[in-house]
Amino acid sequence: DAKTTQPTSMDCAEGRAANLPCNHSTISGNEYVYWYRQIHSQGPQYIIHGLKNNETNEMASLIITEDRKSSTLILPHATLRDTAVYYCIVRDFWASYDKVIFGPGTSLSVIP
Amino acid sequence: KAGVTQTPRYLIKTRGQQVTLSCSPISGHRSVSWYQQTPGQGLQFLFEYFSETQRNKGNFPGRFSGRQFSNSRSEMNVSTLELGDSALYLCASSLEPGAGNTIYFGEGSWLTVV
């Protein structure tokens, strides 16, 4: 089962910041938070990941709360091409195997 | 740098046939995993390979098999196809196993079984 919960859907106006929340209240100290998105009919696209600190790259920013129980993915200036399903997952650094478990994700609609 | 490449992208097979899907990981990546994605079940883990060894297998019947070659390329095979095998099959790669290594997905192979 997925260890994260996300809103089912969100809307965002084009050009505005899209803030996508994720709850991972049972996260352990060894677990990373990863974000992916999937545009219909395509493979999931990696966006960003973090362990404790906030992270930023050319696509997005990731804000992780101090207690690490939740995080927010920020797309600073959403465009129509950002319309997709966004998945927040946790991955255990010490797991004996390596697999991703996606939950239902958040369907983000960017509105013109 | 080329991403994860999967072939074929689309294919249609008949019930009872078998199919082989191919995956070329990102150059330098030695860990490859496979997933099945359907609207009803979401993304489900099939298997994971590292250095030609299957490290873990998901809860799928024995009709689903895979392998990894010395150049890290991987194939998965589904025998005796059933209608329920219609899905998007995704391959993913990373440098090595472990949460510190980002997993990158290919565009997938769309399999339709008729």
Side-chain angles (χ1 to χ4, degrees):
Chain A
D1 291 340
K3 298 174 71 173
T4 62
T5 54
Q6 300 175 252
T8 303
S9 63
M10 294 180 64
D11 291 339
C12 177
E14 189 178 16
R16 303 295 296 268
N19 296 281
L20 293 93
C22 178
N23 181 287
H24 31 80
S25 58
T26 61
I27 195 170
S28 70
N30 305 318
E31 290 180 313
Y32 286 76
V33 178
Y34 274 80
W35 283 83
Y36 288 82
R37 71 181 182 185
Q38 189 171 22
I39 297 168
H40 185 59
S41 302
Q42 298 181 19
Q45 178 189 22
Y46 165 74
I47 302 173
I48 198 167
H49 74 280
L51 183 60
K52 296 182 201 175
N53 301 321
N54 298 337
E55 303 287 346
T56 296
N57 63 20
E58 65 278 2
M59 288 183 69
S61 295
L62 174 61
I63 308 298
I64 303 175
T65 57
E66 195 168 335
D67 62 8
R68 302 186 70 238
K69 292 183 186 298
S70 65
S71 60
T72 301
L73 178 74
I74 301 172
L75 307 177
H77 306 286
T79 70
L80 298 180
R81 288 184 296 179
D82 292 323
T83 292
V85 178
Y86 287 77
Y87 298 100
C88 165
I89 63 169
V90 294
R91 291 175 61 200
D92 188 349
F93 184 84
W94 296 114
S96 61
Y97 54 86
D98 205 16
K99 68 178 183 181
V100 280
I101 301 174
F102 281 17
T106 296
S107 178
L108 174 69
S109 296
V110 180
I111 315 296
Chain B
K1 190 170 177 180
V4 179
T5 305
Q6 292 187 245
T7 56
R9 285 279 284 130
Y10 303 93
L11 65 165
I12 299 173
K13 291 286 188 178
T14 305
R15 266 185 306 176
Q17 287 187 313
Q18 66 93 26
V19 65
T20 299
L21 307 178
S22 181
C23 172
S24 292
I26 292 172
S27 177
H29 284 196
R30 297 190 295 153
S31 180
V32 172
S33 48
W34 288 88
Y35 296 82
Q36 181 197 65
Q37 188 173 35
T38 59
Q41 299 293 322
L43 197 78
Q44 293 194 288
F45 172 77
L46 279 159
F47 3 75
E48 176 201 359
Y49 290 92
F50 177 65
S51 293
E52 302 178 68
T53 301
Q54 187 180 89
R55 297 179 75 235
N56 195 32
K57 189 177 191 312
N59 190 24
F60 279 83
R63 300 184 296 108
F64 291 80
S65 63
R67 58 178 175 168
Q68 186 180 33
F69 302 98
S70 58
N71 61 359
S72 295
R73 263 190 63 247
S74 178
E75 289 180 348
M76 66 161 284
N77 184 279
V78 187
S79 62
T80 320
L81 283 166
E82 301 176 359
L83 295 179
D85 297 333
S86 295
L88 175 65
Y89 289 87
L90 292 162
C91 173
S93 77
S94 62
L95 278 169
E96 294 179 351
N101 295 297
T102 300
I103 292 175
Y104 296 91
F105 286 84
E107 290 303 316
S109 292
W110 281 99
L111 170 65
T112 301
V113 182
V114 298

